[in-house]
Amino acid sequence: MAGDLHTSAHPVDDWSDERRKDTLRSTRLGHNWIHFGGLRRSMVRIGFVVLAVMILCSQYWAHDVAPERERLATTQPQIHHIFDAADPADSDTAVVDLVGLGNLDASRTARSLPALSGIGQVWAVQYDNAGIDTAVISRIVTTYALSLGIDEIVLIGHSMGGIIALEVATHIVDETDVQLRAVILDCTPINLHAVRAQSRDAGEDLLRWMGWLPGARESRGLRLVVEMAARKDRFLVTDDEAHPVFDPGAFITTARGVLRQKIFNPNSASNGLIQSQFRAIVASGATDDLAAIDDAADKRPFPAIVFMRPDFGTDDPVVDVNYSQELLFAETGGPHGRLLVVRMPSTGHANPMQQPEAYNAAIIDQVIPYFRQLEIEASGTAAAGAAVRASDQPR
């Protein structure tokens, strides 16, 4: 029996590579195809590759794109009531909070700013996860305001949310009778040039993916790739010779954070919403919106513009706040302007949840007194106007 185990028809010393190749050729697919055999075999191989790609694409669509598309079809913008006015006398004013790029719901941000209740009621806008329509947001805000007897609206937008706030403000002054009292801009990029190059490049890469890959607006798998690429500096470090070094531990930690915060979090902004948000920055008509609000001042008072920013421009890694401030001053400042610039120490880019003390202190110490002063000036102007009209009447 043991001898049979070592018995072979072709001993090792009789092995032939040519015989092996002949055997493979005589048994391969299409070995008996005489006419166009090579071409036919190539077509079969291509067919198998195409079939495999189609199976992968169908799974990508069925398990990644389709469920997200179905979920997005049922979303819509909403208003959440966060705080009542601290003083009941201010209950006829509503402060409406709008968040920036990559965020869906302003509720958590608004809850970190209880000082806003010193202005009036505090509301938070939840965007439609399928995209942004500022006309729809404006209608929801004004309809809700009129249903509660709100006379005045203050809009506050963080980062890109300030661009949305200015567009909503334009709709309010052009299409409704609700009084727009002020627009507060927190580190808002007035145009795309105000966005620092690294952040601008990441957003443009996302837009390119959206245009190239079908289903990219809904794909969570692609979202994972894009989010990881945007955070590559966390796991790709450079050594002393400036060579990139991959840190697997940091990569795993980063991936877990992205999966928890962006992919499996039902309250995170969708790819489609982020696309709409970044397009709002790219096509920002903020200066046009400010001009439209100014034109409406012929019929109603021009709303105050408040620009909240870090004390030092370099503390904001995303937006060149110095550049945005210059543009705002050119549009709304000057001797007769109504622009207030609020500099906050130890803050970064539109981060009230990370620095609530600095933000609330700035609102209490600077923003609210500024609004009170404008009210006093408006009351004095109205009283003077009434006195002039009374003196002009015949006696």
Side-chain angles (χ1 to χ4, degrees), residues 132-336:
I132 290 179
D133 188 330
T134 54
V136 172
I137 295 174
S138 170
R139 285 197 296 271
I140 291 175
V141 169
T142 54
T143 300
Y144 191 48
L146 292 173
S147 69
L148 298 178
I150 301 296
D151 297 326
E152 295 184 329
I153 294 290
V154 174
L155 299 172
I156 175 170
H158 308 278
S159 187
M160 181 280 313
I163 294 175
I164 303 301
L166 287 171
E167 289 190 21
V168 172
T170 302
H171 289 295
I172 289 176
V173 299
D174 285 345
E175 302 165 9
T176 74
D177 294 327
V178 177
Q179 176 67 40
L180 180 65
R181 183 176 176 186
V183 180
I184 303 174
L185 307 173
D186 176 17
C187 299
T188 294
I190 298 303
N191 57 35
L192 187 60
H193 299 293
V195 181
R196 299 196 188 276
Q198 183 177 357
S199 299
R200 185 168 63 242
D201 292 344
E204 290 173 343
D205 287 343
L206 179 61
L207 286 186
R208 280 192 288 269
W209 277 106
M210 295 298 177
W212 292 341
L213 187 63
R217 281 176 56 88
E218 298 85 6
S219 172
R220 290 166 293 179
L222 178 60
R223 173 76 175 275
L224 176 62
V225 173
V226 172
E227 295 285 355
M228 290 297 292
R231 293 163 174 78
K232 63 181 180 296
D233 58 320
R234 301 183 185 181
F235 52 84
L236 283 179
V237 297
T238 55
D239 58 17
D240 295 336
E241 298 180 357
H243 296 146
V245 178
F246 177 73
D247 185 341
F251 178 83
I252 293 173
T253 301
T254 304
R256 286 176 176 171
V258 170
L259 288 171
R260 182 178 63 255
Q261 300 170 10
K262 303 294 183 180
I263 307 302
F264 299 127
N265 180 7
N267 294 320
S268 66
S270 68
N271 292 351
L273 176 57
I274 294 175
Q275 181 188 31
S276 295
Q277 291 173 332
F278 190 76
R279 280 180 171 171
I281 300 174
V282 173
S284 174
T287 53
D288 293 335
D289 292 326
L290 288 167
I293 295 171
D294 191 17
D295 291 341
D298 295 337
K299 303 176 182 177
R300 61 181 80 183
F302 184 81
I305 304 296
V306 177
F307 186 56
M308 304 184 73
R309 50 159 294 176
D311 203 2
F312 299 100
T314 52
D315 290 339
D316 190 330
V318 179
V319 173
D320 184 347
V321 291
N322 292 331
Y323 178 72
S324 281
Q325 180 179 326
E326 291 175 4
L327 292 180
L328 281 171
F329 185 82
E331 293 293 330
T332 64
H336 305 291

Side-chain angles (χ1 to χ4, degrees), residues 80-138:
H80 301 291
H81 185 97
I82 305 301
F83 296 120
D84 291 328
D87 184 346
D90 296 323
S91 295
D92 60 349
T93 299
V95 184
V96 184
D97 203 324
L98 300 105
V99 281
L101 186 67
N103 296 288
L104 173 67
D105 189 349
S107 296
R108 289 182 59 206
T109 301
R111 290 191 189 98
S112 70
L113 298 174
L116 291 175
S117 63
I119 302 172
Q121 301 182 36
V122 181
W123 304 343
V125 172
Q126 177 178 324
Y127 297 131
D128 183 343
N129 225 335
I132 290 179
D133 188 330
T134 54
V136 172
I137 295 174
S138 170

Side-chain angles (χ1 to χ4, degrees), residues 22-43:
D22 290 339
T23 302
L24 288 174
R25 280 193 293 266
S26 65
T27 57
R28 67 183 176 179
L29 177 66
H31 64 277
N32 56 346
W33 292 343
I34 299 175
H35 301 291
F36 304 105
L39 177 61
R40 293 163 71 181
R41 282 188 290 271
S42 297
M43 295 298 294

Side-chain angles (χ1 to χ4, degrees), residues 369-383:
Y370 178 62
F371 286 173
R372 301 301 186 207
Q373 180 62 35
L374 292 178
E375 287 180 354
I376 294 172
E377 293 176 1
S379 299
T381 301

